[in-house]
Amino acid sequence: MKANCWYGKRDVQVVDVPEPDILNSRDAIVKVSSTAICGSDLHLYNGLVPTMEKGDILGHEFMGEVVETGSDVKKLRTGDRVVVAFPISCGSCFFCRRELFSLCENTNPNAWMAQKLFGHSPAGLYGYTHMLGGFAGGQAEYVRVPFADIGAIKIPEHLSDEQVLFLSDIFPTGYMAAENCNIQPGDTIAVWGCGPVGQFAMKSAFLLGAERVIGIDRFPYRMHIARKNTGAETINYESCDVYETLMDMTGGLGPDACIDAVGMEAHVPGMMGAYARAKQAMMLESDRPHALRQAIFACRKGGTVSIPGVYGGFDDKIPLGALMNKALTFKTGQTHVQHYFGPLLGRISDGDIDPSFIVTHRLPLEDAPKAFELFLNKQDDCLKVVLKPQ
Ligand SMILES: [Zn+2]
Ligand SMILES: [Zn+2]
């Protein structure tokens, strides 16, 4: 089969690889109908996350048709159309029983690697380093789905691939980020980053009752999509001082909650940017947490900073003084996608949201290398690419 594989920094290639087999009785094989590139795939593409190996199949946002099931798969049948959650979860451990699916204890065979970096390991993920399990990803014609009854949700025929594909990651990720803000009536929520997760965080903040949402970015097309499709206001951080502008917009209080939907590769303007890039390149700092610093600084006293953006390691100059003295709450985590599957499929079916608004590019799987370049460089106003295996 064809699969999009990682070969090093800025090097992905679509190559022929063996088709996956059922390895365990709770596995299913899914024939992929649509798959997407995630912003977090760009961290791998940029060579910033350790424990990738040449030939690893990328991709953790995918859906398709069940073509084979192991003997202990109970809920799924051959022919079912499904979306698959990006964390692989057993459904029965301490964490899964509490619906903290991205923290599953049983699905990362390389947990010892993650423990060295984090103290404990999160769940195994598709197509996202050997430290997180070394599982083959979904930018391929077929994928093996472990614990398929837990990780896949059946999709009714009347919904299109593009309406439901993002249940795999970024819609629940944006939604959980907004839910983590504990939104009260009248609240103002600021969102750093008008990328795909930022867009869903903005839309979700309104779905959860926010009165006002402010998106922060520098690309006019991304801010335009946010205003048009989510109802957010936007500010361009290249043409204003973010802190001053947010204070002006909130009567000096600051936003009630701040969402960092940027993560480890923040664009940092000017001299500070060169300094941050150099430190990251020399491994003196794992991430460039510029958006996070701003979010902590701007958040109103007693407010919440919610972090769906991906961070990898150890970072400097996080303003803990502001965090402590302003009594802020931090909420974060890889998304517990399976917890949100049912409710968010309901939101889509009921017409509360049509997640397909973020799709700007559709390409065949063979064009994955071109798609990564488009997405990385934000060429041709690219916000989200859907890849279709032939
Ligand atoms: Zn993702
Ligand atoms: Zn589990």
Side-chain angles (χ1 to χ4, degrees):
M1 68 167 185
K2 297 263 185 255
N4 184 42
C5 299
W6 185 92
Y7 283 94
K9 187 175 175 181
R10 305 272 167 90
D11 184 6
V12 300
Q13 299 170 30
V14 177
V15 296
D16 285 306
V17 300
E19 285 179 18
D21 290 318
I22 298 275
L23 298 182
N24 295 303
S25 59
R26 293 174 67 187
D27 291 352
I29 304 295
V30 168
K31 181 176 194 286
V32 176
S33 59
S34 295
T35 177
I37 304 172
C38 180
S40 65
D41 288 331
L42 295 179
H43 308 320
L44 306 178
Y45 189 58
N46 285 331
L48 287 169
V49 188
T51 74
M52 286 297 287
E53 290 176 14
K54 282 187 180 13
D56 284 349
I57 303 175
L58 292 167
H60 57 264
E61 299 180 358
F62 58 94
M63 63 178 295
E65 185 190 328
V66 176
V67 291
E68 197 181 346
T69 54
S71 56
D72 288 322
V73 174
K74 306 287 183 219
K75 294 186 201 156
L76 299 180
R77 303 226 185 302
T78 299
D80 283 345
R81 182 168 170 246
V82 293
V83 171
V84 177
F86 79 86
I88 300 170
S89 313
C90 75
S92 48
C93 71
F94 174 93
F95 297 97
C96 287
R97 283 200 313 271
R98 286 158 180 77
E99 306 226 334
L100 303 170
F101 292 102
S102 75
L103 305 178
C104 178
E105 279 283 83
N106 286 327
T107 54
N108 182 1
N110 301 328
W112 64 272
M113 289 190 204
Q115 276 167 15
K116 279 197 170 167
L117 193 58
F118 303 143
H120 301 84
S121 175
L125 308 184
Y126 294 96
Y128 216 84
T129 76
H130 288 263
M131 178 173 81
L132 296 178
F135 290 94
Q139 289 166 14
E141 290 182 271
Y142 296 90
V143 196
R144 179 176 75 94
V145 175
F147 302 106
D149 281 334
I150 307 297
I153 184 171
K154 279 193 235 181
I155 300 297
E157 283 308 317
H158 70 278
L159 296 172
S160 71
D161 274 24
E162 288 180 14
Q163 284 178 295
V164 295
L165 172 61
F166 308 119
L167 286 170
S168 57
D169 176 359
I170 54 176
F171 179 24
T173 295
Y175 191 89
M176 183 168 118
E179 200 179 65
N180 277 342
C181 293
N182 187 26
I183 295 170
Q184 304 298 312
D187 274 2
T188 296
I189 312 297
V191 180
W192 274 254
C194 296
V197 169
Q199 301 278 348
F200 285 125
M202 288 184 258
K203 181 73 186 172
S204 299
F206 280 122
L207 291 175
L208 290 166
E211 184 169 310
R212 222 175 151 192
V213 178
I214 303 165
I216 302 156
D217 206 280
R218 68 180 168 127
F219 293 95
Y221 77 94
R222 304 203 323 171
M223 294 190 281
H224 173 77
I225 292 171
R227 289 193 301 272
K228 185 168 153 237
N229 293 282
T230 75
E233 299 158 73
T234 57
I235 60 179
N236 185 334
Y237 66 80
E238 283 190 325
S239 57
C240 72
D241 181 289
V242 171
Y243 173 84
E244 296 293 343
T245 307
L246 288 172
M247 294 313 118
D248 284 348
M249 293 172 86
T250 56
L253 276 178
D256 299 288
C258 293
I259 296 176
D260 169 7
V262 176
M264 65 193 284
E265 289 191 76
H267 171 252
V268 190
M271 268 301 291
M272 275 300 285
Y275 170 78
R277 278 177 182 277
K279 271 179 74 174
Q280 195 173 29
M282 290 188 292
M283 306 288 217
L284 292 173
E285 183 170 48
S286 312
D287 310 306
R288 302 198 299 267
H290 188 64
L292 180 59
R293 290 184 192 122
Q294 279 191 347
I296 294 170
F297 215 69
C299 192
R300 87 149 156 74
K301 291 185 281 184
T304 299
V305 176
S306 164
I307 313 171
V310 172
Y311 287 94
F314 302 89
D315 303 315
D316 298 338
K317 299 189 180 64
I318 305 294
L320 290 176
L323 174 70
M324 188 273 165
N325 286 287
K326 296 203 294 180
L328 302 182
T329 298
F330 257 37
K331 295 279 277 182
T332 184
Q334 298 276 8
T335 311
H336 308 302
V337 173
Q338 295 89 333
H339 170 74
Y340 295 96
F341 261 164
L344 295 189
L345 180 61
R347 291 274 198 183
I348 298 169
S349 292
D350 294 347
D352 292 343
I353 180 172
D354 180 352
S356 64
F357 76 87
I358 65 161
V359 180
T360 53
H361 290 73
R362 298 153 181 94
L363 291 168
L365 177 65
E366 275 82 352
D367 287 344
K370 181 180 154 198
F372 266 78
E373 256 184 65
L374 271 176
F375 187 44
L376 173 72
N377 298 313
K378 302 179 179 71
Q379 290 161 357
D380 191 28
D381 290 356
C382 181
L383 180 64
K384 189 74 177 178
V385 190
V386 173
L387 299 169
K388 292 279 207 182
Q390 294 298 306

